[in-house]
């Protein structure tokens, strides 16, 4: 009898020791008694009855799961390969255990479906330039379904968006054209500013002959640093140069006015030439008549003498 009691006591001790479990701080444990949820177990060492009770552990830490590359056609019919990652955690262990069979697989599948839907409604330019907004829209739609499973979506990120080689070439050409346009605009603005500064400097130097002379010496100093031979008239003062420039400007304005005068002179000379030509023809005719008359007179004289 005592041996039986000892065996029973040993079996009871082994049975109770086999029911000891350690629950970590980042875990949530649910106790089921004969298949019915009877409560949540706090972190630490707990005891349950094997065969009668069951413990389900759920990790409540943040999880990140990669969504394999999804081939998606955008709204403007461009095929893209989208690679994304989802960050989520369990906030309600009871729902995560009772409402869905495998919450991790369900979360990944739902995220893939929503990702295809959202990207399919977005144009390629918006997808490339507003990637964070598209990811936030995907996360909001996944969160609406995941909340019923006791899950919370922290973030969904679009890691990579792969485009066909032809589309990459088109985008590269567009980027090059945009950079060229910006270069032309910036250069033209710089030219305008430079022209304004040169005009202002020229007006200041024109009012100060001494400053102009100093500027000329500075130019000579810069020219002397190279190997090029330059002939520069140092004997001619700046005033002569300025007067020469003014005279040349006035001459240029006079030359511009000459074409009209020359045109009028050409018309008048044409008329004079026509009149002179007519006069020469008349004089030639008179000389011819006089020569004929002289010949007739000479003939008459010879006939009378005979």
């Amino acid at each position: 009898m005592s041996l039986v009691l000892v065996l029973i006591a040993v079996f009871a001790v082994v049975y109770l020791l086999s029911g000891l479990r350690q629950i970590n701080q980042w875990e949530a444990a649910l106790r089921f008694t004969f298949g019915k949820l009877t409560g949540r177990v706090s972190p630490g060492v707990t005891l349950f009855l094997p065969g009668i009770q069951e413990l389900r552990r759920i990790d409540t830490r943040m999880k990140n799961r990669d969504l394999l590359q999804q081939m998606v056609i955008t709204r403007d019919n461009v095929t893209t390969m989208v690679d994304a990652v989802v960050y989520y955690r369990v906030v309600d262990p009871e729902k995560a255990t009772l409402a869905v069979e495998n919450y991790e697989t369900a979360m990944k599948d739902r995220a893939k479906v929503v990702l295809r839907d959202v990207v399919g409604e977005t144009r390629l330019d918006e997808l490339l330039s507003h990637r964070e907004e598209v990811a936030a829209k995907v996360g909001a739609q996944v969160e609406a379904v995941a909340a019923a499973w006791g899950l919370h979506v922290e973030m969904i990120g679009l890691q990579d968006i792969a485009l066909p080689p032809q589309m990459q070439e088109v985008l590269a050409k567009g980027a090059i054209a945009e950079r060229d346009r910006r270069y032309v605009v910036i250069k033209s603005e710089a030219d305008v500013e430079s022209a304004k500064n040169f005009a202002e400097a020229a007006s200041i130097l024109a009012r100060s002959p001494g400053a102009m002379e100093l500027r000329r010496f500075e130019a000579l100093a810069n020219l002397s640093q190279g190997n090029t031979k330059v002939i520069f008239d140092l004997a001619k003062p700046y005033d002569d140069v300025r007067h020469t420039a003014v005279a040349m400007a006035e001459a240029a304005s006079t030359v511009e006015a000459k074409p009209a005068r020359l045109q009028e002179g050409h018309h008048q000379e044409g008329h004079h030439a026509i009149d002179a030509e007519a006069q020469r023809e008349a004089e030639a005719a008179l000389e011819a008549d006089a020569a004929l008359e002289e010949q007739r007179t000479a003939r008459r004289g010879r006939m009378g003498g005979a």
Side-chain angles (χ1 to χ4, degrees):
M1 186 67 179
S2 60
L3 181 60
V4 173
L5 294 177
V6 171
L7 292 176
I8 293 175
V10 171
F11 176 77
V13 171
V14 172
Y15 177 77
L16 293 177
L17 290 177
S18 64
L20 291 177
R21 292 291 184 274
Q22 177 181 341
I23 309 300
N24 297 317
Q25 185 66 37
W26 62 83
E27 293 178 331
L30 301 179
R31 178 184 284 113
F32 291 86
T33 303
F34 294 111
K36 182 180 180 180
L37 179 63
T38 55
R40 183 184 301 186
V41 180
S42 301
V45 178
T46 186
L47 178 65
F48 74 101
L49 302 178
I52 300 176
Q53 295 179 336
E54 180 185 0
L55 287 181
R56 292 281 184 90
R57 297 183 180 185
I58 298 176
D59 194 341
T60 59
R61 292 176 295 182
M62 184 72 64
K63 300 181 180 64
N64 65 306
R65 296 292 181 268
D66 290 330
L67 304 179
L68 299 179
Q69 276 194 343
Q70 306 296 312
M71 180 180 293
V72 185
I73 299 177
T74 60
R75 186 176 179 181
D76 46 359
N77 298 323
V78 178
T79 302
T80 59
M81 300 294 294
V82 181
D83 188 8
V85 61
V86 56
Y87 296 87
Y88 71 97
R89 59 188 178 88
V90 178
V91 294
D92 192 338
E94 287 83 359
K95 289 183 179 180
T97 303
L98 302 177
V100 61
E101 179 181 3
N102 190 330
Y103 62 85
E104 183 173 341
T105 303
M107 168 64 71
K108 293 175 63 176
D109 292 342
R110 182 60 185 172
K112 292 178 182 179
V113 172
V114 175
L115 180 63
R116 292 194 188 99
D117 293 341
V118 173
V119 175
E121 297 174 354
T122 307
R123 296 184 181 276
L124 180 61
D125 294 339
E126 298 177 358
L127 180 62
L128 296 177
S129 59
H130 301 87
R131 182 180 301 186
E132 295 181 357
E133 296 179 2
V134 174
K137 187 175 181 180
V138 174
Q141 294 187 15
V142 174
E143 174 69 18
V145 178
W149 302 336
L151 307 176
H152 172 65
V153 178
E154 291 290 341
M155 183 183 66
I156 291 182
L158 302 182
Q159 291 181 323
D160 186 25
I161 299 175
L163 300 175
Q166 297 84 357
M167 185 58 61
Q168 293 180 8
E169 184 178 357
V170 171
L171 293 178
K173 290 181 179 179
I176 293 173
E178 178 65 20
R179 286 194 295 269
D180 291 341
R181 185 189 67 82
R182 292 181 181 178
Y183 165 75
V184 172
V185 171
I186 294 173
K187 185 176 183 302
S188 61
E189 293 177 353
D191 291 340
V192 172
E193 292 295 331
S194 177
K196 291 180 180 178
N197 293 334
F198 278 127
E200 184 178 357
S203 62
I204 294 174
L205 293 174
R207 293 192 300 268
S208 177
M212 186 61 188
E213 199 68 23
L214 292 175
R215 186 69 181 88
R216 186 167 65 144
F217 290 150
E218 183 181 356
L220 286 175
N222 294 332
L223 290 174
S224 64
Q225 296 177 0
N227 297 325
T228 305
K229 294 182 179 180
V230 180
I231 300 175
F232 203 93
D233 190 3
L234 292 174
K236 183 178 288 188
Y238 169 71
D239 290 338
D240 293 345
V241 176
R242 185 175 61 177
H243 292 326
T244 303
V246 172
M248 292 176 64
E250 293 178 354
S253 62
T254 306
V255 169
E256 292 178 355
K258 274 186 178 181
R261 299 177 183 175
L262 290 175
Q263 187 174 4
E264 294 179 358
H266 287 318
H267 287 298
Q268 293 177 359
E269 289 178 359
H271 289 299
H272 291 308
I274 294 173
D275 295 341
E277 185 67 25
Q279 185 176 0
R280 284 194 296 270
E281 291 178 357
E283 291 177 353
L286 293 174
E287 290 177 357
D289 292 341
L292 290 175
E293 188 64 29
E294 289 179 357
Q295 291 178 2
R296 291 174 186 174
T297 304
R299 287 177 185 177
R300 290 173 186 171
R302 287 195 296 270
M303 291 176 64

